[in-house]
mmCIF file of all heavy atoms in Angstrom:
data_model
loop_
_atom_site.group_PDB
_atom_site.id
_atom_site.type_symbol
_atom_site.label_atom_id
_atom_site.label_comp_id
_atom_site.label_asym_id
_atom_site.label_seq_id
_atom_site.Cartn_x
_atom_site.Cartn_y
_atom_site.Cartn_z
ATOM 1 N N PRO M 39 85.719 90.693 101.616
ATOM 2 C CA PRO M 39 85.506 90.117 102.963
ATOM 3 C C PRO M 39 84.777 90.980 103.986
ATOM 4 O O PRO M 39 84.182 90.297 104.904
ATOM 5 C CB PRO M 39 86.990 89.772 103.361
ATOM 6 C CG PRO M 39 87.900 90.260 102.419
ATOM 7 C CD PRO M 39 87.161 91.004 101.258
ATOM 8 N N VAL M 40 84.842 92.220 103.804
ATOM 9 C CA VAL M 40 84.177 93.037 104.844
ATOM 10 C C VAL M 40 82.719 92.828 104.689
ATOM 11 O O VAL M 40 81.917 92.943 105.675
ATOM 12 C CB VAL M 40 84.461 94.516 104.582
ATOM 13 C CG1 VAL M 40 83.737 95.384 105.415
ATOM 14 C CG2 VAL M 40 85.937 94.726 104.911
ATOM 15 N N GLU M 41 82.147 92.528 103.645
ATOM 16 C CA GLU M 41 80.734 92.185 103.340
ATOM 17 C C GLU M 41 80.307 91.006 104.303
ATOM 18 O O GLU M 41 79.244 90.891 104.870
ATOM 19 C CB GLU M 41 80.346 91.909 102.015
ATOM 20 C CG GLU M 41 80.472 93.131 101.055
ATOM 21 C CD GLU M 41 79.503 94.270 101.229
ATOM 22 O OE1 GLU M 41 78.435 94.010 101.894
ATOM 23 O OE2 GLU M 41 79.772 95.392 100.871
ATOM 24 N N SER M 42 81.161 89.983 104.296
ATOM 25 C CA SER M 42 80.957 88.786 105.177
ATOM 26 C C SER M 42 80.941 89.201 106.583
ATOM 27 O O SER M 42 80.143 88.633 107.454
ATOM 28 C CB SER M 42 81.943 87.718 104.945
ATOM 29 O OG SER M 42 81.833 87.262 103.586
ATOM 30 N N LEU M 43 81.892 90.068 106.949
ATOM 31 C CA LEU M 43 81.976 90.511 108.426
ATOM 32 C C LEU M 43 80.703 91.181 108.823
ATOM 33 O O LEU M 43 80.088 90.896 109.847
ATOM 34 C CB LEU M 43 83.122 91.470 108.539
ATOM 35 C CG LEU M 43 83.251 92.012 109.952
ATOM 36 C CD1 LEU M 43 84.788 91.986 110.341
ATOM 37 C CD2 LEU M 43 82.751 93.454 110.050
ATOM 38 N N TRP M 44 80.146 92.077 107.988
ATOM 39 C CA TRP M 44 78.947 92.763 108.223
ATOM 40 C C TRP M 44 77.795 91.859 108.363
ATOM 41 O O TRP M 44 76.887 92.029 109.240
ATOM 42 C CB TRP M 44 78.646 93.982 107.284
ATOM 43 C CG TRP M 44 79.479 95.204 107.586
ATOM 44 C CD1 TRP M 44 80.539 95.726 106.834
ATOM 45 C CD2 TRP M 44 79.479 95.913 108.850
ATOM 46 N NE1 TRP M 44 81.059 96.788 107.453
ATOM 47 C CE2 TRP M 44 80.445 96.924 108.624
ATOM 48 C CE3 TRP M 44 78.732 95.943 109.968
ATOM 49 C CZ2 TRP M 44 80.695 97.952 109.620
ATOM 50 C CZ3 TRP M 44 78.922 96.891 111.036
ATOM 51 C CH2 TRP M 44 79.959 97.871 110.772
ATOM 52 N N ALA M 45 77.660 90.819 107.378
ATOM 53 C CA ALA M 45 76.594 89.779 107.346
ATOM 54 C C ALA M 45 76.628 89.168 108.704
ATOM 55 O O ALA M 45 75.641 88.849 109.340
ATOM 56 C CB ALA M 45 76.756 88.963 106.242
ATOM 57 N N HIS M 46 77.904 88.724 109.173
ATOM 58 C CA HIS M 46 78.072 87.957 110.476
ATOM 59 C C HIS M 46 77.473 88.962 111.663
ATOM 60 O O HIS M 46 76.821 88.353 112.504
ATOM 61 C CB HIS M 46 79.520 87.714 110.681
ATOM 62 C CG HIS M 46 79.849 87.061 111.967
ATOM 63 N ND1 HIS M 46 79.506 85.761 112.231
ATOM 64 C CD2 HIS M 46 80.379 87.546 113.021
ATOM 65 C CE1 HIS M 46 79.851 85.446 113.495
ATOM 66 N NE2 HIS M 46 80.436 86.487 114.041
ATOM 67 N N LEU M 47 77.771 90.182 111.653
ATOM 68 C CA LEU M 47 77.391 91.054 112.747
ATOM 69 C C LEU M 47 75.956 91.235 112.605
ATOM 70 O O LEU M 47 75.236 91.315 113.729
ATOM 71 C CB LEU M 47 78.153 92.300 112.663
ATOM 72 C CG LEU M 47 79.584 92.383 112.973
ATOM 73 C CD1 LEU M 47 80.179 93.741 112.834
ATOM 74 C CD2 LEU M 47 79.909 91.896 114.306
ATOM 75 N N LYS M 48 75.378 91.487 111.520
ATOM 76 C CA LYS M 48 73.920 91.676 111.400
ATOM 77 C C LYS M 48 73.089 90.479 111.762
ATOM 78 O O LYS M 48 71.923 90.680 112.109
ATOM 79 C CB LYS M 48 73.558 92.092 109.814
ATOM 80 C CG LYS M 48 74.106 93.590 109.648
ATOM 81 C CD LYS M 48 73.522 94.054 108.378
ATOM 82 C CE LYS M 48 74.177 93.340 107.069
ATOM 83 N NZ LYS M 48 73.871 93.967 105.845
ATOM 84 N N THR M 49 73.602 89.316 111.487
ATOM 85 C CA THR M 49 72.784 88.070 111.898
ATOM 86 C C THR M 49 73.225 87.613 113.358
ATOM 87 O O THR M 49 72.568 86.670 113.829
ATOM 88 C CB THR M 49 73.070 86.873 110.935
ATOM 89 O OG1 THR M 49 74.429 86.577 111.001
ATOM 90 C CG2 THR M 49 72.588 87.344 109.522
ATOM 91 N N GLY M 50 74.122 88.294 113.915
ATOM 92 C CA GLY M 50 74.650 87.917 115.275
ATOM 93 C C GLY M 50 74.197 89.049 116.275
ATOM 94 O O GLY M 50 72.944 89.256 116.587
ATOM 95 N N VAL M 51 75.123 89.790 116.736
ATOM 96 C CA VAL M 51 74.970 90.696 117.798
ATOM 97 C C VAL M 51 74.035 91.830 117.441
ATOM 98 O O VAL M 51 73.317 92.381 118.293
ATOM 99 C CB VAL M 51 76.380 91.281 118.236
ATOM 100 C CG1 VAL M 51 76.992 92.158 117.168
ATOM 101 C CG2 VAL M 51 76.194 91.940 119.549
ATOM 102 N N LEU M 52 73.991 92.079 116.164
ATOM 103 C CA LEU M 52 72.985 93.281 115.846
ATOM 104 C C LEU M 52 71.643 92.787 115.332
ATOM 105 O O LEU M 52 70.658 93.603 115.120
ATOM 106 C CB LEU M 52 73.580 94.001 114.609
ATOM 107 C CG LEU M 52 74.965 94.664 114.907
ATOM 108 C CD1 LEU M 52 75.521 95.337 113.597
ATOM 109 C CD2 LEU M 52 74.862 95.634 116.030
ATOM 110 N N ALA M 53 71.389 91.453 115.367
ATOM 111 C CA ALA M 53 70.117 90.921 114.801
ATOM 112 C C ALA M 53 68.891 91.493 115.481
ATOM 113 O O ALA M 53 67.982 91.862 114.827
ATOM 114 C CB ALA M 53 70.114 89.464 114.928
ATOM 115 N N ASN M 54 68.872 91.521 116.770
ATOM 116 C CA ASN M 54 67.648 92.052 117.436
ATOM 117 C C ASN M 54 67.933 93.212 118.477
ATOM 118 O O ASN M 54 67.251 93.496 119.374
ATOM 119 C CB ASN M 54 67.103 90.860 118.381
ATOM 120 C CG ASN M 54 66.529 89.791 117.497
ATOM 121 O OD1 ASN M 54 65.709 90.018 116.500
ATOM 122 N ND2 ASN M 54 66.833 88.580 117.751
ATOM 123 N N LEU M 55 69.004 93.915 118.022
ATOM 124 C CA LEU M 55 69.397 95.022 118.881
ATOM 125 C C LEU M 55 68.489 96.287 118.739
ATOM 126 O O LEU M 55 68.278 96.634 117.459
ATOM 127 C CB LEU M 55 70.876 95.460 118.433
ATOM 128 C CG LEU M 55 71.416 96.719 119.225
ATOM 129 C CD1 LEU M 55 71.718 96.370 120.790
ATOM 130 C CD2 LEU M 55 72.717 97.211 118.575
ATOM 131 N N ALA M 56 68.010 96.749 119.732
ATOM 132 C CA ALA M 56 67.283 98.044 119.683
ATOM 133 C C ALA M 56 68.177 99.074 120.402
ATOM 134 O O ALA M 56 68.106 99.287 121.556
ATOM 135 C CB ALA M 56 65.935 97.892 120.407
ATOM 136 N N ALA M 57 68.972 99.716 119.622
ATOM 137 C CA ALA M 57 70.001 100.661 120.155
ATOM 138 C C ALA M 57 69.243 101.814 120.765
ATOM 139 O O ALA M 57 68.330 102.361 120.208
ATOM 140 C CB ALA M 57 70.922 101.104 119.100
ATOM 141 N N ARG M 58 69.730 102.187 121.887
ATOM 142 C CA ARG M 58 69.142 103.384 122.680
ATOM 143 C C ARG M 58 69.497 104.727 122.062
ATOM 144 O O ARG M 58 68.726 105.696 122.155
ATOM 145 C CB ARG M 58 69.489 103.216 124.136
ATOM 146 C CG ARG M 58 68.948 102.054 124.921
ATOM 147 C CD ARG M 58 69.273 102.059 126.259
ATOM 148 N NE ARG M 58 70.720 101.966 126.545
ATOM 149 C CZ ARG M 58 71.435 100.934 126.715
ATOM 150 N NH1 ARG M 58 70.826 99.787 126.548
ATOM 151 N NH2 ARG M 58 72.633 100.957 126.911
ATOM 152 N N SER M 59 70.712 104.702 121.434
ATOM 153 C CA SER M 59 71.220 105.934 120.794
ATOM 154 C C SER M 59 72.286 105.512 119.731
ATOM 155 O O SER M 59 72.671 104.373 119.685
ATOM 156 C CB SER M 59 71.744 106.774 121.872
ATOM 157 O OG SER M 59 73.012 106.172 122.365
ATOM 158 N N LEU M 60 72.737 106.469 118.990
ATOM 159 C CA LEU M 60 73.755 106.158 118.017
ATOM 160 C C LEU M 60 75.083 105.846 118.744
ATOM 161 O O LEU M 60 75.805 104.965 118.293
ATOM 162 C CB LEU M 60 73.978 107.438 117.106
ATOM 163 C CG LEU M 60 75.112 107.298 116.055
ATOM 164 C CD1 LEU M 60 74.781 106.228 115.094
ATOM 165 C CD2 LEU M 60 75.185 108.617 115.328
ATOM 166 N N ASP M 61 75.315 106.446 119.866
ATOM 167 C CA ASP M 61 76.512 106.104 120.666
ATOM 168 C C ASP M 61 76.443 104.658 121.082
ATOM 169 O O ASP M 61 77.522 103.952 121.104
ATOM 170 C CB ASP M 61 76.636 106.998 121.903
ATOM 171 C CG ASP M 61 77.078 108.427 121.462
ATOM 172 O OD1 ASP M 61 77.758 108.602 120.427
ATOM 173 O OD2 ASP M 61 76.821 109.384 122.260
ATOM 174 N N HIS M 62 75.283 104.202 121.542
ATOM 175 C CA HIS M 62 75.056 102.865 121.906
ATOM 176 C C HIS M 62 75.332 101.862 120.802
ATOM 177 O O HIS M 62 76.040 100.880 120.942
ATOM 178 C CB HIS M 62 73.607 102.644 122.540
ATOM 179 C CG HIS M 62 73.495 101.162 122.971
ATOM 180 N ND1 HIS M 62 72.328 100.472 122.475
ATOM 181 C CD2 HIS M 62 74.098 100.363 123.756
ATOM 182 C CE1 HIS M 62 72.384 99.360 122.898
ATOM 183 N NE2 HIS M 62 73.390 99.171 123.799
ATOM 184 N N LEU M 63 74.886 102.256 119.687
ATOM 185 C CA LEU M 63 75.047 101.378 118.410
ATOM 186 C C LEU M 63 76.546 101.238 118.141
ATOM 187 O O LEU M 63 77.114 100.147 117.871
ATOM 188 C CB LEU M 63 74.298 101.859 117.228
ATOM 189 C CG LEU M 63 74.508 101.150 115.942
ATOM 190 C CD1 LEU M 63 73.967 99.759 116.076
ATOM 191 C CD2 LEU M 63 73.625 101.902 114.783
ATOM 192 N N ILE M 64 77.233 102.410 118.166
ATOM 193 C CA ILE M 64 78.688 102.399 117.839
ATOM 194 C C ILE M 64 79.437 101.577 118.822
ATOM 195 O O ILE M 64 80.342 100.862 118.433
ATOM 196 C CB ILE M 64 79.119 103.973 117.828
ATOM 197 C CG1 ILE M 64 78.599 104.611 116.582
ATOM 198 C CG2 ILE M 64 80.648 103.889 117.764
ATOM 199 C CD1 ILE M 64 78.807 106.066 116.556
ATOM 200 N N ARG M 65 79.102 101.801 120.151
ATOM 201 C CA ARG M 65 79.790 100.941 121.178
ATOM 202 C C ARG M 65 79.604 99.451 120.971
ATOM 203 O O ARG M 65 80.574 98.666 121.078
ATOM 204 C CB ARG M 65 79.287 101.311 122.505
ATOM 205 C CG ARG M 65 80.013 102.525 123.069
ATOM 206 C CD ARG M 65 79.730 102.679 124.608
ATOM 207 N NE ARG M 65 78.401 102.506 125.066
ATOM 208 C CZ ARG M 65 77.390 103.499 125.119
ATOM 209 N NH1 ARG M 65 77.812 104.664 124.686
ATOM 210 N NH2 ARG M 65 76.298 103.272 125.441
ATOM 211 N N VAL M 66 78.398 99.045 120.550
ATOM 212 C CA VAL M 66 78.179 97.668 120.334
ATOM 213 C C VAL M 66 78.919 97.062 119.152
ATOM 214 O O VAL M 66 79.496 96.000 119.283
ATOM 215 C CB VAL M 66 76.657 97.313 120.208
ATOM 216 C CG1 VAL M 66 76.329 95.935 119.665
ATOM 217 C CG2 VAL M 66 75.787 97.632 121.507
ATOM 218 N N ILE M 67 78.988 97.893 117.966
ATOM 219 C CA ILE M 67 79.665 97.420 116.866
ATOM 220 C C ILE M 67 81.162 97.395 117.097
ATOM 221 O O ILE M 67 81.788 96.415 116.747
ATOM 222 C CB ILE M 67 79.346 98.452 115.678
ATOM 223 C CG1 ILE M 67 77.819 98.197 115.254
ATOM 224 C CG2 ILE M 67 80.235 98.093 114.566
ATOM 225 C CD1 ILE M 67 77.453 99.216 114.220
#
Side-chain angles (χ1 to χ4, degrees):
V40 172
E41 295 290 342
S42 296
L43 179 136
W44 282 115
H46 175 76
L47 293 178
K48 289 190 290 185
T49 59
V51 69
L52 299 177
N54 293 311
L55 178 70
R58 295 183 298 272
S59 65
L60 180 58
D61 287 337
H62 177 234
L63 177 62
I64 290 170
R65 277 195 312 275
V66 169
I67 291 172

